[in-house]
């Protein structure tokens, strides 16, 4: 037992799990590239003010979940990033990435929130996200949703997910809606729980998010944003819905969807699943046209989303465990002695150069172990072939190949013929 353990809610991703992550990451990276998004990597630590300003003071994240600490060397407060958008917008502004032009970015990496650890909820978790700046129209929204839809398809998860959509309207509409909500919930003040009372004063939209069963009926009958939408917002949202229908992406309209963060307006969405228990949200996003200006930039329309990688990996494991596995080695190299081992190094180096697809392992120990024990390790490695170099083969410029996964006679090849044999054998 080690003297130290990982912090609760912050998990090691072990080698026997990493292939699920790499599988997912490869798909995400490829999709981002296909649609012309550029990767951005921002620091894990930002000044605390950035998150307070962007996420909003009256949100769970800022009120209770941020890992915030005093910089020991300078008089300032720092925070481990709890979400990706704020840092991304900060970087976009700092480097003028969206100044008088559009910019489409993606990122992937860890985030930190001090939540109660449970299944699907960690304190360090990972997100894949995209952000687009300078595009006010619903086509960019449809594009991001179709990218996610492709991801589900490529991961074999389409029948496990559901898209929920809503619009929050313009900032003005949201303000009017907010006032109507306050009036409405004031009438039920005595029924509200402590959390909702606090939200009533500060961020009444978030009462709609409440999971408290006792409040569900009151919430169900609360005014809906639809009554407050301006015509431009209605057209915008209707066009997005048309794109989705046209692209055959199923969705449901959820007028109660509000999202926890302050900065959203117009379109918002969430992908959910019924297959992960209580933590059903796989990812979410929306339009945040006011955020760039809030951080000191020119008014810039923006739209983005983030998907939670842990939950996607969990779904992948549940549904496709037997189809996704780490790539096995092609060749395991066995030698009889020190001189043979040296020669084997050269052969393996040459093969790695000429056939870079090959995964080649070497048995260490300079040939001191018996062939029998080396074969055992070769077999355990999962390799398809064992390359065997004994003194006799070495002196004749040959190499013996044993087929570890098929019932076939061991064969001798000259060093020069090995490459073409491998090309044929693995169909490279
Ligand atoms: P949010 O930034 O809160 O909208 O979260 C976007 C997605 O990130 C969620 O839908 C989850 O899939 C994932 N997520 C958020 N918080 C956590 C967490 N504490 N642990 C694991 N995944 C999370």
């Amino acid at each position: 037992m080690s003297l130290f353990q990982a912090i609760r809610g912050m998990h090691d991703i072990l080698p026997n799990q990493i292939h699920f992550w790499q599988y997912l990451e490869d798909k995400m990276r490829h999709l981002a590239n296909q649609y012309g998004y550029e990767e951005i990597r921002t620091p894990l630590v930002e000044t605390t003010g950035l998150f307070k300003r962007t996420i909003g003071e009256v949100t769970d994240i800022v009120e209770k979940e941020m890992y915030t600490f005093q910089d020991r060397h300078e008089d300032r407060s720092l925070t481990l990033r709890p979400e990706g958008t704020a840092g991304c917008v900060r970087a976009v502004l700092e480097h003028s990435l969206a100044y008088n032009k559009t910019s489409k970015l993606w990122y992937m990496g860890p985030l930190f929130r001090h939540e109660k650890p449970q299944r699907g909820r960690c304190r360090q978790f990972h997100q894949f996200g995209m952000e687009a700046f300078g595009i006010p129209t619903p086509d960019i929204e449809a594009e991001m949703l179709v990218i996610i839809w492709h991801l589900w398809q490529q991961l074999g998860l389409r029948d496990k997910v559901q898209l929920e959509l809503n619009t929050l309207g313009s900032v003005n509409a949201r303000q009017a809606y907010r006032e109507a909500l306050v009036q409405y919930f004031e009438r039920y003040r005595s029924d509200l729980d402590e959390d909702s009372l606090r939200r009533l004063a500060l961020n009444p939209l978030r009462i709609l998010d409440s999971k408290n069963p006792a409040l569900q009926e009151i919430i169900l009958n609360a005014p809906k944003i639809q009554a407050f939408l301006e015509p431009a917002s209605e057209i915008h949202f209707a066009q997005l819905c048309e794109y989705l229908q046209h692209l055959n992406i199923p969705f449901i309209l959820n007028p109660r969807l509000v999202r926890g963060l302050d900065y959203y307006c117009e379109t918002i969405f969430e992908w959910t699943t019924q297959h992960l228990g209580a933590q059903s949200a796989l990812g979410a996003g929306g339009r945040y046209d006011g955020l760039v200006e809030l951080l000191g930039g020119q008014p810039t329309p923006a739209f983005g989303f983030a998907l939670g990688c842990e939950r996607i990996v969990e779904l992948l494991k549940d549904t496709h465990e037997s189809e996704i596995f780490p790539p096995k080695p092609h060749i395991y190299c066995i030698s009889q002695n020190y001189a043979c081992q040296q020669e084997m190094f050269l052969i393996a180096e040459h093969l790695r150069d000429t056939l870079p697809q090959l995964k080649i392992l070497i048995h260490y120990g300079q040939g001191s172990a018996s062939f029998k024990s080396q074969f055992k390790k070769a077999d355990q490695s999962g390799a398809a072939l064992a390359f065997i170099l004994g003194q006799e083969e070495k002196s004749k410029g040959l190499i013996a190949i044993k087929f570890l996964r098929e019932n076939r006679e061991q064969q001798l090849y000259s060093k020069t013929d090995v490459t073409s044999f491998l090309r044929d054998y693995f169909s490279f």
Side-chain angles (χ1 to χ4, degrees):
M1 179 86 157
S2 155
L3 286 178
F4 299 98
Q5 272 101 49
I7 292 162
R8 210 160 90 84
M10 302 197 180
H11 303 289
D12 299 309
I13 303 173
L14 298 177
N16 68 359
Q17 300 293 306
I18 203 72
H19 57 289
F20 291 107
W21 287 82
Q22 290 172 343
Y23 184 82
L24 173 64
E25 288 163 5
D26 284 351
K27 302 250 180 270
M28 296 191 295
R29 192 173 281 121
H30 181 74
L31 275 167
N33 192 41
Q34 261 192 316
Y35 286 80
Y37 289 69
E38 296 174 294
E39 185 177 1
I40 185 163
R41 299 186 189 184
T42 61
L44 300 190
V45 182
E46 301 269 2
T47 50
T48 306
L50 173 71
F51 300 115
K52 285 196 173 165
R53 188 82 194 252
T54 55
I55 299 170
E57 299 264 3
V58 192
T59 53
D60 285 351
I61 291 183
V62 171
E63 282 182 337
K64 348 183 230 215
E65 296 171 1
M66 295 205 304
Y67 281 92
T68 294
F69 54 95
Q70 202 59 29
D71 187 340
R72 190 197 290 200
H73 307 286
E74 288 175 54
D75 181 24
R76 62 183 173 186
S77 173
L78 301 177
T79 292
L80 297 185
R81 65 180 188 191
E83 56 95 57
T85 305
C88 190
V89 174
R90 197 258 319 127
V92 160
L93 271 173
E94 196 167 330
H95 305 284
S96 303
L97 300 185
Y99 188 73
N100 286 340
K101 60 184 180 217
T102 60
S103 176
K104 298 199 301 177
L105 304 170
W106 71 275
Y107 62 84
M108 184 155 51
L111 304 153
F112 304 85
R113 293 185 196 167
H114 194 273
E115 298 192 82
K116 192 158 173 271
Q118 50 186 281
R119 183 180 172 213
R121 179 164 283 173
C122 326
R123 290 179 169 172
Q124 176 175 334
F125 60 100
H126 298 76
Q127 286 183 345
F128 166 76
M130 290 180 146
E131 317 284 354
F133 300 90
I135 309 166
T137 39
D139 43 3
I140 185 68
E141 305 172 8
E143 179 174 281
M144 286 199 199
L145 288 167
V146 85
I147 290 172
I148 302 173
W149 185 234
H150 274 303
L151 181 68
W152 303 139
Q153 182 191 27
Q154 291 178 16
L155 299 175
L157 297 176
R158 262 198 188 172
D159 56 348
K160 305 256 177 318
V161 300
Q162 187 165 53
L163 171 60
E164 297 181 21
L165 273 188
N166 192 20
T167 176
L168 296 174
S170 66
V171 174
N172 286 343
R174 202 173 148 167
Q175 188 54 34
Y177 180 47
R178 187 188 158 111
E179 281 160 24
L181 280 180
V182 173
Q183 267 186 19
Y184 172 81
F185 284 119
E186 279 291 356
R187 285 196 265 137
Y188 297 94
R189 183 170 261 283
S190 53
D191 299 312
L192 296 183
D193 56 23
E194 197 185 317
D195 245 7
S196 299
L197 280 174
R198 212 165 37 84
R199 289 170 179 177
L200 181 60
L202 300 163
N203 191 350
L205 261 77
R206 295 222 40 236
I207 301 178
L208 303 177
D209 253 354
S210 167
K211 302 277 184 290
N212 181 348
L215 296 181
Q216 294 311 302
E217 188 157 342
I218 300 175
I219 291 173
L220 202 66
N221 295 320
K224 309 272 183 300
I225 183 72
Q226 276 64 29
F228 298 82
L229 294 180
E230 291 155 22
S233 298
E234 282 178 333
I235 294 170
H236 181 107
F237 193 60
Q239 284 182 345
L240 172 63
C241 295
E242 267 171 27
Y243 271 108
L244 298 180
Q245 279 152 358
H246 192 63
L247 292 161
N248 260 325
I249 302 178
F251 62 91
I252 56 168
L253 299 176
N254 177 0
R256 282 183 55 186
L257 185 65
V258 290
R259 309 284 305 120
L261 314 187
D262 259 2
Y263 52 59
Y264 288 110
C265 63
E266 306 289 351
T267 308
I268 52 169
F269 67 88
E270 186 158 67
W271 290 90
T272 56
T273 181
Q274 307 290 322
H275 298 262
L276 286 181
Q279 304 310 322
S280 61
L282 290 174
R287 187 162 277 288
Y288 53 95
D289 291 347
L291 190 58
V292 174
E293 204 179 356
L294 189 73
L295 291 187
Q298 290 179 326
T300 306
F303 186 82
F305 72 84
L307 302 179
C309 300
E310 273 74 7
R311 295 184 194 173
I312 302 177
V313 165
E314 204 177 327
L315 263 189
L316 262 183
K317 278 200 245 172
D318 285 354
T319 45
H320 298 293
E321 173 122 51
S322 58
E323 299 145 49
I324 304 169
F325 30 76
K328 300 218 160 82
H330 298 93
I331 302 168
Y332 193 96
C333 299
I334 289 171
S335 317
Q336 191 176 14
N337 54 34
Y338 172 63
C340 294
Q341 174 79 315
Q342 287 211 319
E343 177 71 17
M344 193 59 111
F345 258 69
L346 292 186
I347 295 170
E349 282 306 296
H350 174 70
L351 288 175
R352 290 187 185 109
D353 283 345
T354 44
L355 299 174
Q357 306 95 315
L358 282 177
K359 178 167 172 177
I360 306 175
L361 303 189
I362 292 218
H363 189 96
Y364 304 109
Q366 313 197 127
S368 58
S370 69
F371 272 141
K372 192 170 166 222
S373 72
Q374 294 194 55
F375 276 129
K376 203 167 153 199
K377 287 279 190 266
D379 199 41
Q380 286 167 355
S381 77
L385 304 173
F387 273 25
I388 307 143
L389 197 62
Q391 196 53 46
E392 198 180 328
E393 287 93 12
K394 179 174 174 291
S395 61
K396 293 182 185 157
L398 297 173
I399 190 139
I401 299 183
K402 186 174 160 74
F403 298 86
L404 296 171
R405 311 289 147 201
E406 52 182 324
N407 201 359
R408 189 167 153 188
E409 280 284 295
Q410 185 165 311
Q411 284 180 12
L412 281 172
Y413 282 89
S414 75
K415 280 193 286 180
T416 44
D417 290 344
V418 162
T419 311
S420 62
F421 159 76
L422 288 173
R423 226 181 239 127
D424 283 353
Y425 188 75
F426 289 112
S427 313
F428 287 151

